[in-house]
Amino acid sequence: MIEALKQELKTLLQDNILRFWLTRMADKERGGFYGRCNGHNHIVPDAPKGAILNARILWTFSAAYRVLGHPEYLEAATRAKDYFLSHFIDHDFGGVYWSLDAGGNPLDDKKQTYAIAFAIYGLSEYARTTGDTEAKQWAISLYKDIEGHAYDDHNNGYVEALTRQWDHIADMRLSDKDENGSRTMNTHLHVIEAYTNLLRIWPDEELRRQTHSLLDIFLVHIVNPHTHHLDLFFDDNWQGKRNIQSYGHDIEASWLLHETASVLGENDFLCRVESEVKAIARAADEGLQTDGAMIYEYWTDSGLTDTQRQWWVECECVVGHINLFAHFKDQRNLDIALRCWQYIKTHLVDYEQGEWFWGCDADGLPDTVNDKAGFWKCPYHNSRMCLEIIQRNFN
């Protein structure tokens, strides 16, 4: 069963996801990749180019080349790396620009810690795949930018955003839907993801300590001790409202935190993390539906539920439960992963135009209002789902 799943995912990854980004999204006129393809499959050539999208493209094709070895994936990864280093890096003040215009000029020059983390993630993966020293050195440099400017050594943790010159900024939000907290779960989750990947190619002791500290932050501050959901938004003193349950982030964190603890390789600490990982996953399962999908969010203060089945939530549902099955041999988790994968195949994959729809409603109807590709709709979650399972050893 697992081998059949691996082959199915490999075919989908190559023919549906990566082919779309290779053939539709490469900006051959101005370099890099287009910033947007709307929900009706129309490229928007003048759309801004976001740091998140481009860093995730860099990670995706780097990882795809490492696992699958096809030369066109290395070519795409190199295209992404060269464009990112030439245009997104702020060569005057450090860090990366949040966005560029279609011509590659800075559009929003704020320093969002989340975006810098993804740049580290993508560059470290390229270096891991190819041995490229330039990518490695830039990943290290960006790590030092985060530690030098965004790290709070008094309260621990990382401030959400700063100005281009690394000064205080009033609006720190990643998007309009977020609360304006100085600390967020989401940024810390992707900083730890980036630091873990950097550790694989640069086993620096300070980096190791900071990665360990990030795990402590999750266990002490971010995981709600009563519900085991992740709380999302905090102030400088790690006080938060604890009013949103984000099922996709819960299940994503369950396997990313487990991965970090495994890379650190400290057995006692790994045991502590594994206990919490199981609890976080059980909390996430409150979002599972009878159709096999996982819904998006629940607001505890209002009792409102967002029942959309978003593409990234379903990807993380599959990976998170596959991770639990692989490590703890619980058949229930494999069954959950396979049911969610069946939902993805039936409702989310666009077999005609390529890639996946943003999401589906409770009746399984696809969302064509939101982008097929864009600032937040990247090849990262679905490619990573495929690659994680293809390369895992289930013995």
Side-chain angles (χ1 to χ4, degrees), residues 129-154:
T129 297
T130 65
D132 183 78
T133 56
E134 181 184 36
K136 178 179 178 180
Q137 289 307 312
W138 274 112
I140 294 169
S141 177
L142 292 172
Y143 155 75
K144 292 179 178 178
D145 285 336
I146 289 179
E147 291 299 316
H149 299 288
Y151 179 61
D152 179 353
D153 59 3
H154 177 66

PDB file of all heavy atoms in Angstrom, residues 129-154:
ATOM      1  N   THR A 129      21.289  20.362  -1.400  1.00  0.00           N
ATOM      2  CA  THR A 129      21.128  19.567  -2.621  1.00  0.00           C
ATOM      3  C   THR A 129      22.362  19.605  -3.499  1.00  0.00           C
ATOM      4  O   THR A 129      22.758  18.583  -4.074  1.00  0.00           O
ATOM      5  CB  THR A 129      19.910  20.086  -3.409  1.00  0.00           C
ATOM      6  OG1 THR A 129      18.733  19.896  -2.624  1.00  0.00           O
ATOM      7  CG2 THR A 129      19.756  19.373  -4.740  1.00  0.00           C
ATOM      8  N   THR A 130      22.983  20.772  -3.612  1.00  0.00           N
ATOM      9  CA  THR A 130      24.042  20.976  -4.607  1.00  0.00           C
ATOM     10  C   THR A 130      25.431  21.154  -4.023  1.00  0.00           C
ATOM     11  O   THR A 130      26.423  21.060  -4.754  1.00  0.00           O
ATOM     12  CB  THR A 130      23.726  22.220  -5.456  1.00  0.00           C
ATOM     13  OG1 THR A 130      23.778  23.387  -4.607  1.00  0.00           O
ATOM     14  CG2 THR A 130      22.351  22.116  -6.107  1.00  0.00           C
ATOM     15  N   GLY A 131      25.522  21.483  -2.730  1.00  0.00           N
ATOM     16  CA  GLY A 131      26.814  21.830  -2.137  1.00  0.00           C
ATOM     17  C   GLY A 131      27.240  23.251  -2.445  1.00  0.00           C
ATOM     18  O   GLY A 131      28.390  23.636  -2.172  1.00  0.00           O
ATOM     19  N   ASP A 132      26.343  24.059  -2.978  1.00  0.00           N
ATOM     20  CA  ASP A 132      26.654  25.428  -3.385  1.00  0.00           C
ATOM     21  C   ASP A 132      27.033  26.288  -2.179  1.00  0.00           C
ATOM     22  O   ASP A 132      26.249  26.457  -1.246  1.00  0.00           O
ATOM     23  CB  ASP A 132      25.436  26.014  -4.095  1.00  0.00           C
ATOM     24  CG  ASP A 132      25.680  27.409  -4.625  1.00  0.00           C
ATOM     25  OD1 ASP A 132      26.330  27.525  -5.679  1.00  0.00           O
ATOM     26  OD2 ASP A 132      25.237  28.385  -3.980  1.00  0.00           O
ATOM     27  N   THR A 133      28.232  26.840  -2.177  1.00  0.00           N
ATOM     28  CA  THR A 133      28.711  27.615  -1.032  1.00  0.00           C
ATOM     29  C   THR A 133      28.083  29.000  -0.976  1.00  0.00           C
ATOM     30  O   THR A 133      27.905  29.556   0.119  1.00  0.00           O
ATOM     31  CB  THR A 133      30.240  27.747  -1.065  1.00  0.00           C
ATOM     32  OG1 THR A 133      30.640  28.325  -2.315  1.00  0.00           O
ATOM     33  CG2 THR A 133      30.898  26.380  -0.896  1.00  0.00           C
ATOM     34  N   GLU A 134      27.725  29.572  -2.121  1.00  0.00           N
ATOM     35  CA  GLU A 134      27.094  30.890  -2.118  1.00  0.00           C
ATOM     36  C   GLU A 134      25.744  30.839  -1.410  1.00  0.00           C
ATOM     37  O   GLU A 134      25.447  31.686  -0.563  1.00  0.00           O
ATOM     38  CB  GLU A 134      26.913  31.397  -3.555  1.00  0.00           C
ATOM     39  CG  GLU A 134      26.285  32.785  -3.617  1.00  0.00           C
ATOM     40  CD  GLU A 134      26.011  33.246  -5.037  1.00  0.00           C
ATOM     41  OE1 GLU A 134      25.649  32.390  -5.879  1.00  0.00           O
ATOM     42  OE2 GLU A 134      26.145  34.452  -5.305  1.00  0.00           O
ATOM     43  N   ALA A 135      24.939  29.846  -1.761  1.00  0.00           N
ATOM     44  CA  ALA A 135      23.635  29.705  -1.116  1.00  0.00           C
ATOM     45  C   ALA A 135      23.799  29.470   0.384  1.00  0.00           C
ATOM     46  O   ALA A 135      23.058  30.035   1.203  1.00  0.00           O
ATOM     47  CB  ALA A 135      22.853  28.560  -1.749  1.00  0.00           C
ATOM     48  N   LYS A 136      24.756  28.652   0.770  1.00  0.00           N
ATOM     49  CA  LYS A 136      24.989  28.379   2.189  1.00  0.00           C
ATOM     50  C   LYS A 136      25.385  29.642   2.933  1.00  0.00           C
ATOM     51  O   LYS A 136      24.861  29.917   4.025  1.00  0.00           O
ATOM     52  CB  LYS A 136      26.085  27.322   2.338  1.00  0.00           C
ATOM     53  CG  LYS A 136      26.433  26.997   3.781  1.00  0.00           C
ATOM     54  CD  LYS A 136      27.516  25.919   3.859  1.00  0.00           C
ATOM     55  CE  LYS A 136      27.903  25.615   5.294  1.00  0.00           C
ATOM     56  NZ  LYS A 136      28.954  24.553   5.364  1.00  0.00           N
ATOM     57  N   GLN A 137      26.286  30.420   2.388  1.00  0.00           N
ATOM     58  CA  GLN A 137      26.739  31.624   3.067  1.00  0.00           C
ATOM     59  C   GLN A 137      25.628  32.652   3.198  1.00  0.00           C
ATOM     60  O   GLN A 137      25.523  33.345   4.221  1.00  0.00           O
ATOM     61  CB  GLN A 137      27.950  32.219   2.346  1.00  0.00           C
ATOM     62  CG  GLN A 137      29.211  31.384   2.500  1.00  0.00           C
ATOM     63  CD  GLN A 137      29.536  31.085   3.964  1.00  0.00           C
ATOM     64  OE1 GLN A 137      29.536  31.977   4.820  1.00  0.00           O
ATOM     65  NE2 GLN A 137      29.806  29.812   4.263  1.00  0.00           N
ATOM     66  N   TRP A 138      24.760  32.750   2.180  1.00  0.00           N
ATOM     67  CA  TRP A 138      23.638  33.672   2.290  1.00  0.00           C
ATOM     68  C   TRP A 138      22.629  33.191   3.325  1.00  0.00           C
ATOM     69  O   TRP A 138      22.048  33.997   4.054  1.00  0.00           O
ATOM     70  CB  TRP A 138      22.974  33.881   0.931  1.00  0.00           C
ATOM     71  CG  TRP A 138      23.642  34.961   0.142  1.00  0.00           C
ATOM     72  CD1 TRP A 138      24.361  34.833  -1.006  1.00  0.00           C
ATOM     73  CD2 TRP A 138      23.658  36.358   0.475  1.00  0.00           C
ATOM     74  NE1 TRP A 138      24.841  36.062  -1.421  1.00  0.00           N
ATOM     75  CE2 TRP A 138      24.416  37.023  -0.530  1.00  0.00           C
ATOM     76  CE3 TRP A 138      23.113  37.119   1.504  1.00  0.00           C
ATOM     77  CZ2 TRP A 138      24.629  38.388  -0.522  1.00  0.00           C
ATOM     78  CZ3 TRP A 138      23.328  38.496   1.516  1.00  0.00           C
ATOM     79  CH2 TRP A 138      24.081  39.114   0.518  1.00  0.00           C
ATOM     80  N   ALA A 139      22.417  31.886   3.397  1.00  0.00           N
ATOM     81  CA  ALA A 139      21.514  31.353   4.426  1.00  0.00           C
ATOM     82  C   ALA A 139      22.046  31.681   5.816  1.00  0.00           C
ATOM     83  O   ALA A 139      21.286  32.083   6.714  1.00  0.00           O
ATOM     84  CB  ALA A 139      21.351  29.848   4.249  1.00  0.00           C
ATOM     85  N   ILE A 140      23.356  31.527   6.012  1.00  0.00           N
ATOM     86  CA  ILE A 140      23.971  31.855   7.305  1.00  0.00           C
ATOM     87  C   ILE A 140      23.861  33.347   7.596  1.00  0.00           C
ATOM     88  O   ILE A 140      23.555  33.764   8.726  1.00  0.00           O
ATOM     89  CB  ILE A 140      25.442  31.395   7.325  1.00  0.00           C
ATOM     90  CG1 ILE A 140      25.523  29.867   7.259  1.00  0.00           C
ATOM     91  CG2 ILE A 140      26.161  31.922   8.565  1.00  0.00           C
ATOM     92  CD1 ILE A 140      26.918  29.327   7.012  1.00  0.00           C
ATOM     93  N   SER A 141      24.104  34.167   6.579  1.00  0.00           N
ATOM     94  CA  SER A 141      24.010  35.618   6.752  1.00  0.00           C
ATOM     95  C   SER A 141      22.608  36.046   7.161  1.00  0.00           C
ATOM     96  O   SER A 141      22.430  36.894   8.048  1.00  0.00           O
ATOM     97  CB  SER A 141      24.415  36.310   5.443  1.00  0.00           C
ATOM     98  OG  SER A 141      24.281  37.716   5.555  1.00  0.00           O
ATOM     99  N   LEU A 142      21.589  35.448   6.553  1.00  0.00           N
ATOM    100  CA  LEU A 142      20.206  35.795   6.892  1.00  0.00           C
ATOM    101  C   LEU A 142      19.845  35.303   8.289  1.00  0.00           C
ATOM    102  O   LEU A 142      19.092  35.964   9.021  1.00  0.00           O
ATOM    103  CB  LEU A 142      19.254  35.218   5.843  1.00  0.00           C
ATOM    104  CG  LEU A 142      19.362  35.862   4.457  1.00  0.00           C
ATOM    105  CD1 LEU A 142      18.533  35.089   3.442  1.00  0.00           C
ATOM    106  CD2 LEU A 142      18.922  37.327   4.492  1.00  0.00           C
ATOM    107  N   TYR A 143      20.372  34.147   8.669  1.00  0.00           N
ATOM    108  CA  TYR A 143      20.203  33.668  10.043  1.00  0.00           C
ATOM    109  C   TYR A 143      20.770  34.701  11.027  1.00  0.00           C
ATOM    110  O   TYR A 143      20.135  35.037  12.044  1.00  0.00           O
ATOM    111  CB  TYR A 143      20.900  32.316  10.219  1.00  0.00           C
ATOM    112  CG  TYR A 143      21.319  32.002  11.629  1.00  0.00           C
ATOM    113  CD1 TYR A 143      20.379  31.619  12.587  1.00  0.00           C
ATOM    114  CD2 TYR A 143      22.661  32.091  12.018  1.00  0.00           C
ATOM    115  CE1 TYR A 143      20.765  31.338  13.895  1.00  0.00           C
ATOM    116  CE2 TYR A 143      23.050  31.805  13.321  1.00  0.00           C
ATOM    117  CZ  TYR A 143      22.104  31.432  14.255  1.00  0.00           C
ATOM    118  OH  TYR A 143      22.489  31.162  15.547  1.00  0.00           O
ATOM    119  N   LYS A 144      21.930  35.235  10.731  1.00  0.00           N
ATOM    120  CA  LYS A 144      22.550  36.230  11.610  1.00  0.00           C
ATOM    121  C   LYS A 144      21.746  37.526  11.618  1.00  0.00           C
ATOM    122  O   LYS A 144      21.698  38.228  12.649  1.00  0.00           O
ATOM    123  CB  LYS A 144      23.994  36.473  11.188  1.00  0.00           C
ATOM    124  CG  LYS A 144      24.888  35.259  11.448  1.00  0.00           C
ATOM    125  CD  LYS A 144      26.323  35.496  11.007  1.00  0.00           C
ATOM    126  CE  LYS A 144      27.192  34.277  11.329  1.00  0.00           C
ATOM    127  NZ  LYS A 144      28.605  34.460  10.872  1.00  0.00           N
ATOM    128  N   ASP A 145      21.093  37.863  10.503  1.00  0.00           N
ATOM    129  CA  ASP A 145      20.212  39.035  10.487  1.00  0.00           C
ATOM    130  C   ASP A 145      19.039  38.847  11.443  1.00  0.00           C
ATOM    131  O   ASP A 145      18.683  39.767  12.197  1.00  0.00           O
ATOM    132  CB  ASP A 145      19.671  39.277   9.069  1.00  0.00           C
ATOM    133  CG  ASP A 145      20.709  39.877   8.135  1.00  0.00           C
ATOM    134  OD1 ASP A 145      21.651  40.519   8.625  1.00  0.00           O
ATOM    135  OD2 ASP A 145      20.556  39.701   6.913  1.00  0.00           O
ATOM    136  N   ILE A 146      18.420  37.679  11.415  1.00  0.00           N
ATOM    137  CA  ILE A 146      17.314  37.415  12.334  1.00  0.00           C
ATOM    138  C   ILE A 146      17.788  37.491  13.778  1.00  0.00           C
ATOM    139  O   ILE A 146      17.176  38.148  14.628  1.00  0.00           O
ATOM    140  CB  ILE A 146      16.678  36.034  12.048  1.00  0.00           C
ATOM    141  CG1 ILE A 146      15.905  36.061  10.725  1.00  0.00           C
ATOM    142  CG2 ILE A 146      15.734  35.638  13.195  1.00  0.00           C
ATOM    143  CD1 ILE A 146      15.262  34.732  10.367  1.00  0.00           C
ATOM    144  N   GLU A 147      18.911  36.834  14.067  1.00  0.00           N
ATOM    145  CA  GLU A 147      19.413  36.813  15.438  1.00  0.00           C
ATOM    146  C   GLU A 147      19.865  38.197  15.896  1.00  0.00           C
ATOM    147  O   GLU A 147      19.703  38.568  17.065  1.00  0.00           O
ATOM    148  CB  GLU A 147      20.571  35.820  15.553  1.00  0.00           C
ATOM    149  CG  GLU A 147      20.154  34.368  15.408  1.00  0.00           C
ATOM    150  CD  GLU A 147      19.182  33.930  16.481  1.00  0.00           C
ATOM    151  OE1 GLU A 147      19.405  34.261  17.670  1.00  0.00           O
ATOM    152  OE2 GLU A 147      18.192  33.253  16.140  1.00  0.00           O
ATOM    153  N   GLY A 148      20.413  38.974  14.990  1.00  0.00           N
ATOM    154  CA  GLY A 148      20.932  40.284  15.351  1.00  0.00           C
ATOM    155  C   GLY A 148      19.870  41.349  15.508  1.00  0.00           C
ATOM    156  O   GLY A 148      20.081  42.338  16.235  1.00  0.00           O
ATOM    157  N   HIS A 149      18.725  41.174  14.838  1.00  0.00           N
ATOM    158  CA  HIS A 149      17.715  42.240  14.835  1.00  0.00           C
ATOM    159  C   HIS A 149      16.351  41.818  15.368  1.00  0.00           C
ATOM    160  O   HIS A 149      15.673  42.624  16.008  1.00  0.00           O
ATOM    161  CB  HIS A 149      17.545  42.767  13.407  1.00  0.00           C
ATOM    162  CG  HIS A 149      18.781  43.359  12.813  1.00  0.00           C
ATOM    163  ND1 HIS A 149      19.293  44.579  13.214  1.00  0.00           N
ATOM    164  CD2 HIS A 149      19.618  42.898  11.847  1.00  0.00           C
ATOM    165  CE1 HIS A 149      20.395  44.846  12.517  1.00  0.00           C
ATOM    166  NE2 HIS A 149      20.613  43.846  11.685  1.00  0.00           N
ATOM    167  N   ALA A 150      15.933  40.591  15.115  1.00  0.00           N
ATOM    168  CA  ALA A 150      14.571  40.181  15.472  1.00  0.00           C
ATOM    169  C   ALA A 150      14.502  39.398  16.772  1.00  0.00           C
ATOM    170  O   ALA A 150      13.411  39.250  17.339  1.00  0.00           O
ATOM    171  CB  ALA A 150      13.964  39.350  14.335  1.00  0.00           C
ATOM    172  N   TYR A 151      15.619  38.896  17.248  1.00  0.00           N
ATOM    173  CA  TYR A 151      15.604  38.088  18.468  1.00  0.00           C
ATOM    174  C   TYR A 151      15.501  38.967  19.707  1.00  0.00           C
ATOM    175  O   TYR A 151      16.211  39.965  19.841  1.00  0.00           O
ATOM    176  CB  TYR A 151      16.863  37.226  18.547  1.00  0.00           C
ATOM    177  CG  TYR A 151      16.940  36.382  19.799  1.00  0.00           C
ATOM    178  CD1 TYR A 151      15.969  35.432  20.068  1.00  0.00           C
ATOM    179  CD2 TYR A 151      17.972  36.556  20.724  1.00  0.00           C
ATOM    180  CE1 TYR A 151      16.022  34.662  21.227  1.00  0.00           C
ATOM    181  CE2 TYR A 151      18.042  35.788  21.876  1.00  0.00           C
ATOM    182  CZ  TYR A 151      17.054  34.839  22.127  1.00  0.00           C
ATOM    183  OH  TYR A 151      17.103  34.088  23.273  1.00  0.00           O
ATOM    184  N   ASP A 152      14.613  38.609  20.614  1.00  0.00           N
ATOM    185  CA  ASP A 152      14.423  39.306  21.884  1.00  0.00           C
ATOM    186  C   ASP A 152      15.064  38.467  22.984  1.00  0.00           C
ATOM    187  O   ASP A 152      14.491  37.466  23.417  1.00  0.00           O
ATOM    188  CB  ASP A 152      12.923  39.494  22.137  1.00  0.00           C
ATOM    189  CG  ASP A 152      12.629  40.205  23.466  1.00  0.00           C
ATOM    190  OD1 ASP A 152      13.572  40.430  24.250  1.00  0.00           O
ATOM    191  OD2 ASP A 152      11.445  40.498  23.718  1.00  0.00           O
ATOM    192  N   ASP A 153      16.250  38.849  23.424  1.00  0.00           N
ATOM    193  CA  ASP A 153      16.956  38.029  24.408  1.00  0.00           C
ATOM    194  C   ASP A 153      16.427  38.238  25.827  1.00  0.00           C
ATOM    195  O   ASP A 153      16.828  37.534  26.753  1.00  0.00           O
ATOM    196  CB  ASP A 153      18.464  38.282  24.367  1.00  0.00           C
ATOM    197  CG  ASP A 153      18.836  39.725  24.647  1.00  0.00           C
ATOM    198  OD1 ASP A 153      17.930  40.530  24.932  1.00  0.00           O
ATOM    199  OD2 ASP A 153      20.028  40.051  24.574  1.00  0.00           O
ATOM    200  N   HIS A 154      15.499  39.189  25.996  1.00  0.00           N
ATOM    201  CA  HIS A 154      14.895  39.399  27.319  1.00  0.00           C
ATOM    202  C   HIS A 154      13.675  38.492  27.512  1.00  0.00           C
ATOM    203  O   HIS A 154      13.573  37.765  28.499  1.00  0.00           O
ATOM    204  CB  HIS A 154      14.492  40.863  27.495  1.00  0.00           C
ATOM    205  CG  HIS A 154      13.808  41.150  28.796  1.00  0.00           C
ATOM    206  ND1 HIS A 154      14.449  41.048  30.012  1.00  0.00           N
ATOM    207  CD2 HIS A 154      12.526  41.522  29.068  1.00  0.00           C
ATOM    208  CE1 HIS A 154      13.610  41.349  30.979  1.00  0.00           C
ATOM    209  NE2 HIS A 154      12.422  41.635  30.440  1.00  0.00           N
TER     210      HIS A 154
END
